[in-house]
Amino acid sequence: VYLTQRPTGPAPSGPAPDVAFDGPGGTFRLADERGRPVVLQFAPADSVEAWAVLAEAYAQLEAVGAVVVGVA
């Protein structure tokens, strides 16, 4: 991932803002996962490469108890 500027907001591993995303499985609320590691992948729906990377890492992330969410 290449960032052109330093992100603002909470520090990594710090409290995240309470956000929600509607999807085919219902609404995902970040606050509902408090206390668990969460991986949010933001990518265009047609980004085959981005989703392939997430799919490749999914089993390992889930094995350590992470919640994995893709947002298109």
Side-chain angles (χ1 to χ4, degrees):
V1 174
Y2 299 97
L3 299 175
T4 56
Q5 63 183 2
R6 184 172 176 80
T8 58
S13 298
D18 185 17
V19 296
F21 304 102
D22 291 325
T27 300
F28 170 82
R29 288 184 172 73
L30 190 56
D32 292 344
E33 304 303 331
R34 197 167 309 278
R36 293 181 67 187
V38 177
V39 176
L40 295 174
Q41 165 97 16
F42 293 89
D46 62 352
S47 179
V48 175
E49 182 179 354
W51 299 116
V53 169
L54 183 63
E56 186 176 310
Y58 183 83
Q60 290 176 323
L61 293 166
E62 190 177 54
V64 296
V67 176
V68 181
V69 179
V71 182

